[in-house]
Amino acid sequence: MKTSILAITTSIALFSSLSTLAETTKTLPIIEQQAQVAGYYQYQAGDVQITALLDGTNYLSPTLFKGIPTAKVTQILKKYYADQAKGVQTSVNAFLVNTGSSLVLVDSGSSSCNGPNFGSVIKNLKAAGYKTEQVDTILLTHLHPDHVCGISDKGVANFPNATVYVADAEANYWLNPKQVAKLPQDKQARFKQTVEKIQQAVHPYQAKKHFKTFKLGDKIKGFDVISTAGHTPGHFSFAFKSGNEEIVFVGDIVHSHSIQFDQPETAIDFDTDPKKAVQTRLAQFARLAKQGQTVAAPHLPFPGIGHIYSKDGKSYQWIPVHFKD
Ligand SMILES: [Zn+2]
């Protein structure tokens, strides 16, 4: 008698737990994908704190890669598990460097210049604990909209106390009104559209005389400038030493952690001078792989901080920074 009561009780319990399970499975809501990361990542290099700021991500068509057969592009993307239906995911990152005496922003993201997927740099800078007023220096690797547009919003400076620095060759290329006539007819319309965005972004700084140019050999707030022309005519990288570590903010010497590391001689459609851009990448990759500097890159997967490795001096590997809490 006792046993049968137990059996009945057990089977009721089992039944009720099974029905609860069935109910749970049926009613469990599907959670929509949330923002995957905080949008900032802090990396300490000696006394210097670098905060990577995510502006957003988007998908690039694999056809934008030049000087490489399509089949090879597909093969490399498959190898890296990067062959997504929407294209090759690409990040836009900016970097905030707290040197102790200065708060320096390297590149600034797209703001609203490249569509709704971008424009989160300011939000993420605040989330990281900083204020836009604290930024005193902005270093621009070049003047493409995904690097310059974030400095302003509708004609108003986003960083009211900052001075913007760009290479004189870069400013002369994009901001000299005589430049457009030197370009082939079919490139002029796109160039003018880009120039309009750049002018709007830099205007509030020019009006306050907070827009300055630099040249090779100059040093700005402890940053050395490195000529890395090719992607644009006045493209520069910036290097900062902290203790035994050197961090190089490479800018657009690379746009893909898969194709352009595996086959670094691959150009991209956005390069002003593709041949020179490839030469620059080959020279910088060789140097960075040999010397082991920490690299901060605006278009490698967020946070875009890591190292470059080469086994044979011909192809390279991106070694992202290991997550530290
Ligand atoms: Zn870019």
Side-chain angles (χ1 to χ4, degrees):
M1 186 68 182
K2 256 189 187 172
T3 317
S4 89
I5 288 171
L6 183 66
I8 291 164
T9 319
T10 312
S11 81
I12 288 170
L14 185 65
F15 177 75
S16 85
S17 76
L18 275 176
S19 68
T20 311
L21 184 67
E23 251 168 54
T24 313
T25 313
K26 227 189 271 172
T27 57
L28 193 66
I30 293 164
I31 307 294
E32 238 181 82
Q33 186 176 302
Q34 307 291 301
Q36 298 276 36
V37 291
Y40 62 88
Y41 182 82
Q42 286 169 329
Y43 175 84
Q44 196 71 29
D47 297 336
V48 171
Q49 186 193 54
I50 298 163
T51 307
L53 302 170
L54 179 68
D55 194 47
T57 59
N58 207 352
Y59 292 92
L60 294 179
S61 164
T63 59
L64 290 169
F65 293 100
K66 302 291 175 194
I68 182 168
T70 316
K72 186 80 186 163
V73 170
T74 311
Q75 185 203 329
I76 298 168
L77 290 176
K78 275 199 191 325
K79 182 170 111 181
Y80 282 82
Y81 293 90
D83 57 333
Q84 296 165 71
K86 290 190 231 169
V88 187
Q89 185 173 299
T90 302
S91 184
V92 173
N93 317 316
F95 300 94
L96 191 65
V97 186
N98 186 345
T99 69
S101 57
S102 228
L103 192 60
V104 181
L105 182 66
V106 183
D107 290 331
S108 68
S110 283
S111 187
S112 56
C113 283
N114 287 321
N117 286 12
F118 299 108
S120 297
V121 158
I122 302 243
K123 185 187 84 186
N124 290 329
L125 178 145
K126 290 177 181 168
Y130 287 102
K131 295 189 177 93
T132 51
E133 295 82 6
Q134 293 171 316
V135 176
D136 55 70
T137 305
I138 299 170
L139 302 178
L140 298 175
T141 55
H142 62 301
L143 286 175
H144 273 159
D146 54 319
H147 300 257
V148 66
C149 281
I151 65 172
S152 303
D153 185 29
K154 298 181 188 79
V156 179
N158 280 332
F159 303 93
N161 302 317
T163 300
V164 174
Y165 292 86
V166 70
D168 51 5
E170 186 72 3
N172 193 44
Y173 180 73
W174 296 102
L175 301 172
N176 182 344
K178 289 181 186 156
Q179 179 56 35
V180 66
K182 294 181 194 169
L183 297 175
Q185 199 78 34
D186 62 325
K187 298 235 161 111
Q188 292 189 1
R190 186 172 158 187
F191 183 81
K192 279 187 197 165
Q193 272 178 3
T194 307
V195 167
E196 232 169 79
K197 291 176 182 174
I198 298 168
Q199 278 173 335
Q200 218 178 29
V202 300
H203 179 260
Y205 296 87
Q206 286 175 319
K208 286 196 289 184
K209 300 208 178 335
H210 283 186
F211 182 82
K212 294 188 177 172
T213 57
F214 65 82
K215 58 186 185 324
L216 197 62
D218 288 353
K219 198 162 183 147
I220 310 158
K221 303 275 177 159
F223 285 77
D224 289 312
V225 304
I226 305 161
S227 174
T228 43
H231 176 62
T232 60
H235 187 284
F236 265 76
S237 304
F238 305 104
F240 194 92
K241 284 194 184 81
S242 177
N244 294 329
E245 190 170 351
E246 187 176 25
I247 307 105
V248 185
F249 300 85
V250 294
D252 284 10
I253 67 162
V254 61
H255 289 78
S256 161
H257 73 290
S258 53
I259 293 159
Q260 288 182 319
F261 274 84
D262 202 284
Q263 302 283 309
E265 64 282 3
T266 307
I268 196 159
D269 187 57
F270 318 125
D271 293 334
T272 308
D273 182 341
K275 209 173 149 193
K276 202 168 177 184
V278 167
Q279 284 167 358
T280 294
R281 178 165 41 263
L282 293 173
Q284 291 301 317
F285 273 20
R287 185 178 81 90
L288 296 163
K290 194 172 169 210
Q291 297 174 1
Q293 291 94 331
T294 302
V295 170
H299 297 311
L300 297 183
F302 185 77
I305 299 173
H307 292 86
I308 294 176
Y309 170 78
S310 182
K311 198 168 94 173
D312 54 10
K314 285 180 193 144
S315 75
Y316 293 85
Q317 251 180 287
W318 174 238
I319 315 286
V321 72
H322 301 291
F323 180 85
K324 282 189 198 141
D325 64 7

